[in-house]
Amino acid sequence: MPYVSGEALRRLRTERGLTQRALADRLCISDKTVSKWETERGLPDITILPELAAALRVSVAELFTGGHAENRNRAANMLRSVFYVCPVCGNVIVSAGQGAFSCCGILLPEAEPQDDDAAHEIEVETDGNELYVHLNHAMEKTHSVSFFAYVTGGSAELVKLYPEQGAEARFLRRGHGTLYAYCTRHGLFKKRV
């Protein structure tokens, strides 16, 4: 099976209202080349895929699958943020929704938050327009709180922590949301505020 389907190319091209000639002109190739791709008598060179995807207004991944992912979430907000933590180096990636991320050669799994518990109780104090967040937790090289995050409908803020620090952070209060704390041994914990 080819890495780019001729049928998908033809469908995407016609959905965009492009003729074979118009697509070819955008890519500086001949319309016969586009015809060969669509009839699967040839494949686009891998180096032209980014330009081909751009001309068809899809991502390269969508070009490979033949689909067009439409963002149907018209009321997107940061409360759908997802955290990914590298188990090798500790890097943290925050995404406004699910994604595929890698670090240190590893595909990172999504950190699934659990409600805070007695051993990981996120304590919050309001200090004027700030939230003072802390956790009574060990801060050692092999067992510590790696970060705190405060996520509301319109923002996500992360404070990275290191073993030589205390398990505490301050955030500008931005309304209702969720606080997160990541324990390097036990995972991600959350608390609604």
Side-chain angles (χ1 to χ4, degrees):
M1 180 173 174
Y3 57 84
V4 177
S5 156
E7 178 185 325
L9 285 175
R10 182 176 30 260
R11 185 176 40 75
L12 289 169
R13 177 183 57 75
T14 56
E15 284 175 2
R16 303 305 178 269
L18 296 171
T19 63
Q20 288 182 344
R21 163 65 62 201
L23 179 59
D25 288 346
R26 288 184 182 190
L27 299 172
C28 300
I29 58 174
S30 74
D31 57 338
K32 289 180 182 179
T33 301
V34 174
S35 176
K36 284 183 180 180
W37 295 344
E38 291 183 358
T39 57
E40 295 187 358
R41 291 178 294 153
L43 292 171
D45 187 89
I46 195 105
T47 60
I48 202 169
L49 292 180
E51 290 85 1
L52 177 59
L56 295 172
R57 297 191 317 268
V58 295
S59 68
V60 173
E62 290 168 321
L63 191 60
F64 286 148
T65 63
H68 176 61
E70 184 177 326
N71 184 357
R72 299 178 192 272
N73 185 3
R74 300 291 183 225
N77 63 55
M78 296 304 292
L79 292 174
R80 297 172 191 220
S81 292
V82 179
F83 298 90
Y84 300 86
V85 182
C86 179
V88 177
C89 70
N91 279 341
V92 180
I93 297 171
V94 183
S95 173
Q98 293 179 316
F101 302 97
S102 61
C103 186
C104 298
I106 300 168
L107 182 61
L108 302 179
E110 177 182 330
E112 295 185 26
Q114 52 193 317
D115 290 330
D116 63 343
D117 57 21
H120 298 92
E121 185 176 355
I122 303 170
E123 297 181 36
V124 184
E125 297 174 25
T126 303
D127 183 13
N129 64 346
E130 284 188 333
L131 295 177
Y132 171 63
V133 182
H134 54 99
L135 201 87
N136 185 16
H137 194 282
M139 290 298 282
E140 304 161 354
K141 285 191 180 202
T142 58
H143 187 202
S144 64
V145 176
S146 174
F147 68 85
F148 282 113
Y150 175 41
V151 179
T152 65
S155 68
E157 185 179 357
L158 185 133
V159 175
K160 181 77 171 118
L161 303 174
Y162 299 93
E164 57 272 11
Q165 296 176 281
E168 60 186 9
R170 289 189 177 274
F171 297 98
L172 183 62
R173 189 170 186 190
R174 300 181 192 280
H176 295 290
T178 305
L179 285 167
Y180 294 92
Y182 185 82
C183 171
T184 56
R185 197 176 282 174
H186 300 104
L188 188 62
F189 294 88
K190 67 179 179 177
K191 180 176 193 160
R192 297 276 301 150
V193 291

